[in-house]
Amino acid sequence: ILVGACVCMAGHTASINGVECFACAAGTYKNATGVGECTSCPMRTSSLPGSDSLNDCVCLVGHAAPTDGVECVTCEAGTFKSEIGAGSCSACPAGTNSSGGSDEVTDCRCVVGHDASGDGIECIACDAGGYKGTVGTGPCVTCPPGTSSESGAVALTGCKCTIGYTAGFDGVECLACEAGEYKVSTGTGACSMCPSHTNSASGSNDLTDCHCVVGYTALSDGVSCTMCEAGTYKSVTGTGNCLMCPVGTSSVPGSYVRDNCTCLAGLTA
């Protein structure tokens, strides 16, 4: 057999017939015998050295296509593909995300506001009253005193004053409304003053927390109270009637103890 009759096998190349042929490099293929260059695989695919078919070009990890031998598409953010070849990208577990072209489930990391014990597993939203501003594993951070947040909060500023508490900014410690005040809304904002002749406990969060002071009366909480008339008294806070002084005694308006009832002129006890 003449040396010149010896030709390269498929998957191998040389510049002329009759000389040693070399395997096509990884990422290329050659499906014909004889001389000729190896052909590059489609984008985002590769092949083993010596490949002799376009179908030997398979998707790289992190890339997908319905069949071998075609251009592959990069897995989108939030997905991954850990195997070479044809097939679809898999969605990351709940509460996680990944960069485009991810090739391992561990590339799926907790999104902000979520936490887990490791990468590549479902992440759970931070409980109300906490926040987390970083991706990946790591504990949620507790909001400052007097504040709370919605579940899954992603920043310190998601911690807002609870009702009955106030501050000038979100994300800082909030102080309880003082006695005689109340605040029904969350977040920043001033506490409101109770109606006249009422008082409330520190940290009150509703208008109805404002109760009549002693010596004053009203039919309901949260409204302005009226002073007890002369000859009556009221020693308890809140709603309720003013009580009549004993017979033969009287009191000044707004009296708040029975001892304020004193004998009328000309009478003695």
Side-chain angles (χ1 to χ4, degrees), residues 27-139:
T28 67
Y29 70 97
K30 181 169 169 279
N31 57 14
T33 59
V35 297
E37 295 182 351
C38 302
T39 303
S40 295
C41 285
M43 292 182 65
R44 293 174 285 278
T45 69
S46 191
S47 62
L48 296 174
S51 292
D52 59 9
S53 172
L54 173 61
N55 288 333
D56 292 333
C57 299
V58 296
C59 290
L60 300 169
V61 291
H63 299 77
T67 60
D68 294 327
V70 297
E71 180 178 339
C72 298
V73 177
T74 301
C75 291
E76 296 180 351
T79 67
F80 69 97
K81 182 169 170 283
S82 56
E83 298 177 347
I84 62 172
S88 301
C89 303
S90 301
C92 283
T96 69
N97 198 17
S98 64
S99 301
S102 292
D103 58 14
E104 292 289 345
V105 68
T106 51
D107 293 330
C108 300
R109 307 180 68 201
C110 292
V111 296
V112 292
H114 293 70
D115 181 40
S117 59
D119 295 325
I121 60 177
E122 180 179 354
C123 296
I124 306 301
C126 294
D127 291 335
Y131 70 97
K132 181 167 168 278
T134 57
V135 299
T137 57

Side-chain angles (χ1 to χ4, degrees), residues 246-250 262-269:
V247 175
T249 67
S250 189
T262 58
C263 291
L264 294 171
L267 297 177
T268 185

Side-chain angles (χ1 to χ4, degrees), residues 208-235:
T208 55
D209 293 331
C210 299
H211 307 295
C212 291
V213 297
V214 292
Y216 287 76
T217 186
L219 296 177
S220 61
D221 294 320
V223 298
S224 295
C225 297
T226 303
M227 182 184 297
C228 290
E229 295 179 353
T232 66
Y233 69 96
K234 180 167 167 281
S235 57

